[in-house]
Amino acid sequence: MLKEYCISDRTFRKISQLVYNSIGIKLKKNKKAMLKSRLIGRLIELDLENFDQYYKFLINSKEEFDNLINFVTTNVTSFFREDHHFDYLISKVLPELEANKDTKKIRCWSAGCSSGEEAYSIAIVLSEYFDGQDWDFKILATDINKEVLYKACEGVYSKEELKGVSEAIINKYFKLIKKNNKVYFKIRKNLREKIVFKKVNLKPGSYYPIKSKLDFIFCRNVFIYFDHHTRKKISNKFYKLLREGGYLFLGNSDTMFAIDSFDKKWRVANITTYQKLD
Ligand SMILES: C[S@@+](CC[C@H](N)C(=O)[O-])C[C@H]1O[C@@H](n2cnc3c(N)ncnc32)[C@H](O)[C@@H]1O
């Protein structure tokens, strides 16, 4: 007979407190069923009797904690998602950088990059825009979830994952490969080299490996998972990392959560796009 696993409110609270303390994501009570269904497989694999045993195992295993993070993060993404941001990059941000920068260098960050589609979309836009010119651009792309970062580093996508990307762009920036007798598309080396993928926790208090000022930051559809306090702290950190006039792109669903912490330091430049004021 199939075993019935139950997670008590107390154990759920203890697990969600651990998650909040380490990555800043608050698992509300209505996420209890989701957490339970995502973790039952682990209980079976680890041959554990109940969620209390799982909690005890969790607090003693760094590896299991990484697994838990992979389970609780939502990684939905796609190439050129919320394309108005890319249109704004092309029509406003890049011409501004081209006209005003002393050096032909662009440094930017895809924070919460998931499986890499956002970072590669930025790289494609920059490559197309500066085609044939000697501009040097680098993208830092980071996430907390090791599993999606692994996929991002590989840069291999299925035809379905490239839905909406034009044939011309696919032919120029991807090469066909075969894996398990199926056809996939792998990012070409010259584009892959523009991006450094790293595991970085955005939670306030964590180290962000950024040495020079950034021209723009994409942090889209990540703030939605944080509480007000966390969003405020992170947006202040972003502010310090951007050069004057630099841009912060949030996701469509993030705006209403962030705007009240933005005070007079930011200008609303476009849809969910904010410019750092002096
Ligand atoms: C919904 S995805 C957004 C992906 C991409 N930015 C987009 O808009 O398509 C949110 C990503 O944020 C990451 N994330 C959540 N909490 C994080 C944290 N504390 N530090 C770094 N990344 C985090 C998740 O792992 C997930 O991949």
Side-chain angles (χ1 to χ4, degrees), residues 32-56:
K32 192 173 142 182
M34 178 276 286
L35 187 76
K36 180 180 156 186
S37 73
R38 289 192 185 177
L39 288 182
I40 280 179
R42 285 304 290 151
L43 263 73
I44 295 168
E45 275 164 30
L46 296 165
D47 202 14
L48 299 174
E49 287 293 313
N50 53 49
F51 280 94
D52 285 332
Q53 284 185 4
Y54 178 76
Y55 178 76
K56 283 187 192 126

Side-chain angles (χ1 to χ4, degrees), residues 23 73-75 77 81 112 118 143-144 200-202 220-221:
I23 65 165
T73 51
T74 304
N75 313 110
T77 188
R81 181 182 193 187
E118 180 176 271
D143 205 280
I144 190 70
V200 172
N201 189 352
L202 287 171
R220 306 183 311 160
N221 307 299

